[in-house]
Amino acid sequence: MTIPLSCEFFPPKSDDGAAKLRAITTELATALCPEYFSVTFGAGGSTQERSFATVSAIQLESGVPAAPHLSCIGSTRAGIAAILDQYQALGIKRIVALRGDLPSGMRDPGDFRYASELVAFIRQHSGDGFHIEVAAYPEFHPQSLNAKADLQHFKHKVDAGADGAITQYFYSIEAYSRFVDDCDKRQITIPIVPGIMPINNYTQLARFSDACGADLPRWLRKRLEAFGDDMDSLRAFGHEVVVNLTADLVRVGAPGLHFYTMNQAAPIIALCQDAGVHPA
Ligand code: FAD
């Protein structure tokens, strides 16, 4: 099965972390030939310098195009324009445009309320200079009023100029398939690439899932809980679950696969090998 692949990283906090990430991106570039490597961005600009350094290193050294994430909450139009210009000067061609969540302690939401406003601003400021990805939520965003409103807000981002979407992670193939069907019915035709989160650490995954509204189905939570401190068995089981999910996503026609790497190469490479996935 050949399919476009992409991988997501967070910016490391130290020089040592940056050196390790270089080794990880090299390993993934060689094994998977990804379409792009994306780099997260702390809302309110909290990781701005580290994100830029990581994006630069990937863009200039890894042989794989970098796609910076850009979250707008807590930012000004002038600040976002300056970042876009910096990225354009670096030769960046793809941006992941997000609202982000206002960091605790920060009160001023700034000039943007929603990601759709950021997408419109990028188009206004940079024209077609960037391919714009946005976030999608097959299990719906935790702050949305209801499923219908969330889909309508997703459509706003597409109408504002998004070219593609990457989903929040999920472990229910049905949630993804129904979301894609619902989008089809609303004439949303951009590719909706599933985001895939490997299962390596239950405590961390449960914390993330509670924070971002991704559903850990009860059967999965219970199975993972039961492994306790037996990390090897947990990883083996988690690997099997995510291999099956990945193979199912390819089978139902996902237009690409985006991996939340947590800055690790080996679990992603094993996942692709065992799911029989090869880069397009
Ligand atoms: P939006 O699309 O603006 O939606 C946010 C909420 O507002 C939704 O509930 C939506 O239904 C609602 N809404 C939208 N428009 C309207 C409207 N006009 N009226 C009323 N309600 C509306 N966060 C980061 O800080 N940095 C990152 O690098 C990052 N990377 C991510 C990558 C991916 C692939 C994903 C899925 C998420 C990422 N996030 C990141 C998390 C994201 O910022 C949060 O989920 C955030 O809460 C919502 O961002 P959004 O871009 O989806 O917002």
Side-chain angles (χ1 to χ4, degrees):
M1 291 178 278
T2 58
I3 184 163
L5 306 177
S6 53
C7 299
E8 177 172 321
F9 307 97
F10 55 84
K13 289 193 173 134
S14 62
D15 290 348
D16 190 34
K20 280 190 187 134
L21 187 60
R22 274 196 184 90
I24 288 161
T25 52
T26 304
E27 203 179 336
L28 283 164
T30 311
L32 301 182
C33 303
E35 196 180 14
Y36 65 91
F37 282 150
S38 84
V39 179
T40 62
F41 182 92
S46 54
T47 65
Q48 190 169 327
E49 276 178 28
R50 285 189 285 119
S51 292
F52 188 77
T54 308
V55 168
S56 303
I58 287 176
Q59 177 77 0
L60 301 175
E61 298 165 21
S62 74
V64 174
H69 294 203
L70 183 55
S71 56
C72 60
I73 198 86
S75 304
T76 61
R77 287 172 166 260
I80 294 287
I83 295 174
L84 292 172
D85 293 346
Q86 253 185 327
Y87 283 142
Q88 215 147 23
L90 192 62
I92 299 295
K93 299 278 184 241
R94 184 186 299 253
I95 291 238
V96 184
L98 304 142
R99 184 197 70 177
D101 295 306
L102 209 56
S104 58
M106 194 185 251
R107 301 231 173 275
D108 182 3
D111 290 344
F112 300 89
R113 283 168 312 158
Y114 299 111
S116 54
E117 295 170 2
L118 175 63
V119 174
F121 181 75
I122 297 174
R123 285 286 172 245
Q124 184 199 325
H125 183 79
S126 310
D128 289 333
F130 296 109
H131 176 106
I132 304 177
E133 303 284 351
V134 289
Y137 301 85
E139 292 167 343
F140 306 106
H141 186 267
Q143 289 158 7
S144 60
L145 273 181
N146 53 49
K148 197 173 161 199
D150 209 27
L151 271 163
Q152 195 52 39
H153 297 144
F154 178 59
K155 186 164 170 25
H156 288 163
K157 295 195 274 197
V158 179
D159 294 344
D163 300 295
I166 306 167
T167 75
Q168 183 58 275
Y169 66 87
F170 54 84
Y171 296 101
S172 155
I173 183 86
E174 179 142 31
Y176 173 76
S177 296
R178 283 189 182 270
F179 183 79
V180 170
D181 284 352
D182 284 345
C183 288
D184 275 353
K185 286 182 195 139
R186 283 167 176 76
Q187 281 77 48
I188 298 172
T189 54
I190 60 167
I192 299 171
V193 172
I196 299 175
M197 178 70 93
I199 300 176
N200 294 312
N201 178 323
Y202 172 61
T203 316
Q204 192 186 49
L205 183 68
R207 201 178 57 237
F208 278 171
S209 304
D210 290 343
C212 73
D215 188 40
L216 268 190
R218 187 171 182 278
W219 68 268
L220 182 56
R221 211 176 255 270
K222 289 282 173 199
R223 295 288 293 261
L224 293 172
E225 261 170 20
F227 287 111
D229 294 335
D230 183 358
M231 297 304 275
D232 288 345
S233 302
L234 181 142
R235 285 198 192 104
F237 173 75
H239 177 72
E240 192 190 322
V241 168
V242 182
V243 163
N244 289 342
L245 175 69
T246 304
D248 283 348
L249 284 165
V250 175
R251 189 176 44 75
V252 300
L257 301 172
H258 181 81
F259 294 103
Y260 295 106
T261 68
M262 306 305 289
N263 289 11
Q264 290 185 51
I268 308 300
I269 295 170
L271 198 54
C272 289
Q273 271 167 358
D274 293 347
V277 161
H278 306 287

